[in-house]
Amino acid sequence: MEPQRTKIKELLKSDSFGSKVTVKGWVRTHRGSKQVHFIAVNDGSIIHNVQVVADSDLFDEETLQHITTGSSIRVTGTLVESMGKGQRMEIQAQEIELYGTADTETYPLQKKGHSLEFLREIAHLRPRTNTFGAILRLRHAMAYAMHTFFNEKGFYYLHTPIITGSDCEGAGQMFRVTTLDLNNLPRKDNGAIDYTEDFFGTETNLTVSGQLEGELGALALSEIYTFGPTFRAENSNTPRHLAEFWMVEPEMAFYDLSDTMNLAEEFIKFLITYALEHCRDELEFLNKMYDKELIVRLQSVIAADFERLSYTQAIDILKESGRAFEFPVGWGHDLQAEHERFLVEEHFKRPVILIDYPQEIKPFYMKRNDDGKTVRAMDVLFPKIGEIIGGSQREESYEKLTDRIAAMEIPAKDIWWYLETRKFGTVPHSGFGLGFERLMVFVSGMSNIRDVIPFPRTPGNASF
Ligand code: ATP
Ligand code: MN
């Protein structure tokens, strides 16, 4: 029987020197002399390797030669205190089993220090680097912390559909979902494509947001959140946009906008605190390699009260700044990342929550303010990122909502089910969406969103 495997994360905590252990993993480095070989093994459970010491007498030349960077092995041996520098323990190998070789000439991760651009081209192997191991463990921890936060608050996780028949959310261009033969499309008499022949009998797309269905959940379970992939076919080749990204969307009955701002601030601080407490190795590595201010920045964000002000006040500040922005500043224009970052990084030097945006630049479902011009929107702006959260109090009045969708020429028949929630037991409610990868960019200190998701989808790229 094969000996029980210990993950390296557990092993490095142990001090049962003298006992027999088995580790399995991938070889990071192998250096040897005539008498003795040193093999660094990593199994992805933790950033650190374990050092294996193999006596040349015990192993045949052939086996040792195949233990190259990238190969995979099982090692069984005795855990001993290390005499060498840099590690507390090592394994004195008694058995080594080679699972798979990795050809020295062709294995791409031979040497250290590959560029992030190069690693994107080998996204199938980049999880084996220290950088992506750290990011993927951090990503897991953030997802876990997110579920923990909501679970402890009594929110229920609602699974909303990926394929949607409504395209009124207006959050961006959608990806069409169809089983029609694109070379032979069924046509109606007037030449238009006949979607009644399509799989769902209607036009369908990939969702841009789970919000509308999230609201249905909140108006029954009180507090829910969704967490799932969302898709936007916007051709924005920026370091902050993906075509497929994950969004966390809490939706809360009986919350007004200020309750929602409080929740958003508490939520982000909880996630960052969790990272600082549970992902220390990862953050220290990323701080050292990519962003010397990372840990200090994370600490400063949890210590700060987020600044709260209206869109109108922000426009005044931007106008008075005397800055030459690339995009014009003016009431009624949407804020660009450069404006958001000026407010956060230079003016207030802390995260900012902007509220009460002009209704023209926001979707139909946001609650109108009494001024007739603005809506109860809320964007949370972060250093390095700009917008990290977008949310609002929702319009709960059936009349106001139907007025608005008529004005925006949104076909009411497509969202009759959404409108019915305002007819039957409507209540004040609110919610927001946090782009999970934007959070990851902030927490990891990486500067490109392509480097915080395992397999990024961007215009022109759907490999892996
Ligand atoms: P932006 O103006 O930055 O494009 P948005 O106004 O389109 O954002 P929302 O529609 O409010 O964003 O989406 C909610 C959240 O989802 C945003 O606050 C952001 O964190 C995230 N997000 C939006 N679009 C993308 C994208 N293409 N890639 C990654 N995250 C995104
Ligand atoms: Mn967008």
Side-chain angles (χ1 to χ4, degrees):
M1 200 184 89
E2 235 185 47
Q4 171 87 41
R5 169 213 191 180
T6 307
K7 293 228 196 119
I8 293 170
K9 182 179 182 180
E10 295 312 312
L11 190 73
L12 294 179
K13 284 190 236 164
S14 124
D15 47 14
S16 45
F17 296 116
S19 64
K20 194 166 172 176
V21 297
T22 291
V23 298
K24 301 180 178 185
W26 294 267
V27 172
R28 285 295 176 83
T29 57
H30 177 180
R31 59 202 165 82
S33 66
K34 270 218 147 34
Q35 295 83 33
V36 63
H37 290 246
F38 297 99
I39 304 160
V41 180
N42 186 281
D43 66 3
S45 62
I46 188 170
I47 200 161
H48 306 292
N49 306 327
V50 70
Q51 169 153 285
V52 172
V53 183
D55 229 310
S56 304
D57 299 344
L58 283 178
F59 301 94
D60 60 84
E61 191 75 9
E62 168 86 23
T63 311
L64 288 171
Q65 263 175 15
H66 281 118
I67 300 175
T68 56
T69 299
S71 63
S72 47
I73 57 174
R74 168 178 70 86
V75 178
T76 299
T78 310
L79 190 66
V80 297
E81 279 183 271
S82 177
M83 303 298 198
K85 287 203 297 280
Q87 68 271 329
R88 195 166 69 85
M89 62 178 64
E90 59 198 24
I91 299 172
Q92 198 74 55
Q94 281 140 15
E95 289 168 39
I96 299 180
E97 179 184 355
L98 183 67
Y99 290 120
T101 57
D103 176 47
T104 320
E105 297 299 312
T106 51
Y107 182 60
L109 294 172
Q110 273 321 325
K111 34 181 194 35
K112 289 187 175 168
H114 296 291
S115 75
L116 293 169
E117 289 77 11
F118 172 71
L119 292 176
R120 276 174 223 148
E121 291 166 16
I122 53 162
H124 59 307
L125 294 172
R126 71 178 184 170
R128 295 197 200 170
T129 61
N130 279 336
T131 297
F132 285 89
I135 284 169
L136 296 181
R137 284 186 297 271
L138 189 58
R139 195 178 158 104
H140 162 82
M142 289 299 87
Y144 181 79
M146 178 265 295
H147 286 297
T148 304
F149 177 84
F150 287 123
N151 185 54
E152 285 176 0
K153 283 200 170 301
F155 284 54
Y156 295 110
Y157 182 22
L158 184 79
H159 298 93
T160 51
I162 304 285
I163 297 174
T164 163
S166 58
D167 66 352
C168 51
E169 225 267 340
Q173 286 295 313
M174 301 182 99
F175 288 99
R176 175 65 46 82
V177 174
T178 182
T179 54
L180 292 179
D181 177 357
L182 297 184
N183 295 312
N184 184 20
L185 290 167
R187 301 276 177 185
K188 294 195 278 201
D189 292 342
N190 65 3
I193 296 169
D194 184 5
Y195 285 103
T196 61
E197 302 266 312
D198 205 347
F199 187 91
F200 296 104
T202 178
E203 285 185 57
T204 48
N205 293 288
L206 294 178
T207 187
V208 294
S209 156
Q211 180 201 316
L212 299 188
E213 290 90 353
E215 286 186 49
L216 312 182
L219 293 175
L221 302 171
S222 281
E223 290 157 339
I224 63 92
Y225 66 105
T226 72
F227 179 49
T230 50
F231 306 86
R232 297 189 185 180
E234 46 192 7
N235 204 348
S236 17
N237 243 318
T238 80
R240 315 179 310 127
H241 289 92
L242 290 164
E244 175 178 305
F245 65 99
W246 287 67
M247 188 143 60
V248 187
E249 295 179 276
E251 195 68 39
M252 301 75 65
F254 314 111
Y255 272 52
D256 66 13
L257 193 64
S258 88
D259 299 326
T260 309
M261 287 193 273
N262 293 341
L263 182 77
E265 183 167 342
E266 188 187 343
F267 178 45
I268 298 203
K269 287 179 172 174
F270 180 91
L271 296 176
I272 295 171
T273 305
Y274 190 95
L276 286 167
E277 283 173 5
H278 294 87
C279 307
R280 207 64 207 193
D281 285 344
E282 282 73 21
L283 293 181
E284 277 170 12
F285 174 81
L286 295 165
N287 192 97
K288 187 172 87 195
M289 303 299 291
Y290 295 100
D291 180 352
K292 297 275 185 279
E293 259 122 61
L294 174 63
I295 292 176
V296 170
R297 189 181 312 111
L298 297 179
Q299 285 163 338
S300 80
V301 162
I302 50 180
D305 287 331
F306 294 5
E307 192 72 37
R308 301 178 183 195
L309 68 154
S310 70
Y311 165 91
T312 304
Q313 289 169 308
I315 293 291
D316 290 342
I317 291 170
L318 291 167
K319 277 190 183 154
E320 283 157 23
S321 73
R323 272 302 165 99
F325 292 110
E326 189 188 333
F327 292 91
V329 175
W331 203 94
H333 291 288
D334 208 353
L335 297 181
Q336 302 295 324
E338 56 169 344
H339 308 132
E340 297 172 342
R341 293 185 60 177
F342 173 83
L343 292 168
V344 173
E345 291 167 19
E346 297 183 49
H347 191 81
F348 290 110
K349 298 190 171 27
R350 58 179 64 203
V352 171
I353 309 183
L354 291 190
I355 61 167
D356 296 340
Y357 281 71
Q359 91 172 355
E360 275 66 37
I361 58 171
K362 289 292 181 187
F364 72 92
Y365 48 72
M366 295 193 177
K367 185 177 172 67
R368 272 265 278 287
N369 280 313
D370 293 335
D371 64 11
K373 294 188 301 191
T374 61
V375 288
R376 306 241 76 195
M378 159 194 105
D379 279 9
V380 180
L381 314 180
F382 254 49
K384 282 198 67 185
I385 314 280
E387 179 186 337
I388 193 165
I389 284 181
S392 73
Q393 186 165 343
R394 316 307 189 192
E395 183 56 75
E396 82 265 24
S397 150
Y398 181 77
E399 285 70 31
K400 287 186 188 157
L401 193 60
T402 46
D403 281 355
R404 188 69 194 139
I405 65 172
M408 292 176 75
E409 296 176 11
I410 294 168
K413 66 169 179 23
D414 287 356
I415 46 165
W416 63 271
W417 43 272
Y418 182 79
L419 296 174
E420 282 208 347
T421 58
R422 273 58 169 179
K423 270 206 248 177
F424 306 131
T426 190
V427 301
H429 65 287
S430 305
F432 63 79
L434 167 82
F436 192 63
E437 286 75 21
R438 297 248 176 115
L439 171 86
M440 279 298 301
V441 165
F442 184 74
V443 176
S444 68
M446 301 304 280
S447 41
N448 195 312
I449 199 163
R450 292 165 177 79
D451 298 327
V452 298
I453 187 165
F455 307 105
R457 266 82 183 100
T458 49
N461 177 35
S463 301
F464 311 105

